[in-house]
Amino acid sequence: TKENKKTEEEAAKHDELLKKMEATRKKWAEEDGEDADDTDRLLQEAIELAVQQGRGWAPGEKEEYMARILDDDFIPPIFAENQEELERSGLAEAFSTLHFDDSPVIVMLDFKKKG
C-alpha cells in the first residue's frame, strides 16, 4: 500500500542517515583520536543535514510561533491551570498524547526523596 511504501522510504532515509553519521564519526575518530567526545559536533552535523533535507521551520512559521508565544495572553501549556487555558495554548493535543508510567506527582516525590 501507499503507507507501507512511505514507511519503507522513511526507513531507508533513516538508515542512510545513520550510515553517513557513523562514517563521519569514524573519520573524526581517525583525525582526533578514538577517545574524543564528538557529541556536539555530530549534533551540529545532524542539524545541518536535517535543514538540507527541508526539515525545520517553513517560511513564516518561526515568526508566527514567536509572535504567538510572546503574546501577553499566551500561557505556556505547562502552566495551564485548566482545560480551557490548555486549549488556548494550541498544544492540548500534544499534551494529551503524553503517557506516563507513573503519575507526574509520584515521579516528582521520588526525585524529591533522592535530593
Side-chain angles (χ1 to χ4, degrees):
T1 66
K2 192 174 184 179
E3 286 181 18
N4 287 344
K5 186 173 182 176
K6 185 177 180 181
T7 304
E8 289 173 8
E9 289 173 2
E10 288 174 357
K13 284 181 183 179
H14 179 264
D15 292 343
E16 181 183 332
L17 175 62
L18 289 179
K19 287 177 186 175
K20 185 174 182 176
M21 291 175 75
E22 181 61 21
T24 302
R25 190 197 65 75
K26 285 180 181 178
K27 184 179 111 186
W28 291 342
E30 291 171 5
E31 293 171 358
D32 303 336
E34 194 67 39
D35 295 331
D37 183 8
D38 292 319
T39 304
D40 289 337
R41 197 169 163 189
L42 193 59
L43 181 58
Q44 187 60 38
E45 288 279 327
I47 291 169
E48 288 175 15
L49 184 60
V51 170
Q52 288 173 3
Q53 292 177 350
R55 297 181 181 168
W57 298 107
E61 193 174 39
K62 180 179 178 184
E63 292 77 12
E64 180 183 327
Y65 173 76
M66 294 302 291
R68 187 179 70 191
I69 66 168
L70 295 174
D71 185 344
D72 290 339
D73 294 331
F74 178 74
I75 297 172
I78 197 165
F79 300 116
E81 293 182 4
N82 54 49
Q83 187 65 30
E84 182 182 320
E85 288 179 354
L86 184 59
E87 293 291 335
R88 280 196 316 242
S89 75
L91 296 170
E93 183 179 342
F95 272 70
S96 69
T97 61
L98 293 176
H99 299 284
F100 301 100
D101 292 332
D102 293 317
S103 84
V105 173
I106 292 172
V107 174
M108 180 192 69
L109 291 173
D110 286 344
F111 278 103
K112 192 173 183 179
K113 287 178 188 175
K114 293 177 184 176

